[in-house]
């Protein structure tokens, strides 16, 4: 992924992933449903990207409070959306709205890294079905994985039009 990529860290939690992406030089933005998470993430960004740590470069506000179903960014604003645990608390009947919003803020050809908690109702097939129903193409087949938070189902998907293959 090119360093000039604009990335949205959807449901950023404590901001660790957001900070890591920013330190790698990406133009990263973050959202959190809870204001305290957005504030904590912005504070972490400010500390990590302070002029003392970046040779005089200052940070701007990049962490906002927004729900996955109403992000408030313009259409086609991001090259990537990183959604780790972002959809876990959304009831299945409302998940299509959140995925449509994710698709809306992605540029044509944009990518979505999606990881959801593995559970009784969640499988690689379930994740693939939901993303394909939201008009994403599979870029990396969904699979079960383990991270520090426990078992996940994750995959990489791409915003393409129905008549585009690949």
């Amino acid at each position: 992924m090119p360093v000039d990529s604009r990335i949205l860290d959807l449901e950023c939690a404590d901001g660790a992933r957001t900070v890591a992406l920013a330190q790698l030089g990406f133009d990263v933005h973050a959202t959190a449903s809870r204001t305290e998470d957005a504030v904590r993430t912005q504070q972490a960004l400010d500390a990590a990207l302070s002029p003392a740590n970046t040779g005089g470069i200052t940070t701007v506000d990049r962490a906002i409070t927004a729900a996955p179903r109403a992000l408030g960014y313009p259409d086609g604003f991001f090259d990537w959306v990183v959604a780790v645990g972002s959809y876990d608390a959304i009831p299945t009947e409302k998940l299509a709205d959140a995925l449509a919003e994710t698709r809306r803020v992605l540029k044509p050809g944009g990518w979505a890294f999606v990881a959801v908690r593995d559970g009784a109702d969640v499988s690689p097939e379930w994740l693939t079905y939901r993303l394909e129903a939201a008009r994403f193409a599979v870029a990396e087949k969904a699979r079960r994985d383990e991270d520090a938070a426990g078992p996940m189902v994750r995959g990489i998907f791409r915003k393409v039009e129905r008549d585009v293959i690949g």
Side-chain angles (χ1 to χ4, degrees):
M1 132 177 38
V3 175
D4 64 347
S5 295
R6 185 177 295 145
I7 301 171
L8 174 61
D9 185 2
L10 186 61
E11 289 295 337
C12 58
D14 64 1
R17 186 176 43 251
T18 309
V19 168
L21 289 166
Q23 288 174 324
L24 289 170
F26 293 108
D27 179 8
V28 64
H29 298 248
T31 64
S33 294
R34 297 172 356 128
T35 300
E36 52 270 24
D37 288 341
V39 169
R40 186 174 26 252
T41 296
Q42 186 62 52
Q43 290 170 340
L45 280 169
D46 291 343
L49 303 177
S50 72
N53 294 335
T54 61
I57 298 171
T58 58
T59 185
V60 296
D61 289 341
R62 293 298 175 102
I64 65 166
T65 304
R69 292 184 351 216
L71 296 173
Y73 291 100
D75 293 357
F77 193 70
F78 295 102
D79 299 291
W80 276 87
V81 172
V82 176
V84 177
S86 308
Y87 307 121
D88 289 353
I90 298 174
T92 300
E93 65 273 7
K94 295 184 179 182
L95 183 58
D97 293 338
L99 293 173
E101 182 68 349
T102 297
R103 189 176 195 289
R104 183 190 68 75
V105 300
L106 277 171
K107 292 178 180 176
W111 305 83
F113 175 84
V114 179
V116 294
R117 301 283 170 237
D118 196 354
D121 297 357
V122 177
S123 67
E125 296 77 19
W126 178 91
L127 183 62
T128 300
Y129 174 79
R130 297 292 173 203
L131 271 291
E132 285 180 337
R135 297 180 42 222
F136 284 90
V138 175
E140 179 185 284
K141 189 175 176 182
R143 65 183 174 100
R144 286 192 159 85
D145 204 357
E146 187 83 24
D147 76 356
M152 306 281 289
V153 173
R154 67 165 189 84
I156 298 176
F157 302 87
R158 192 159 190 207
K159 177 183 177 178
V160 296
E161 298 309 317
R162 291 229 182 258
D163 60 344
V164 175
I165 298 175

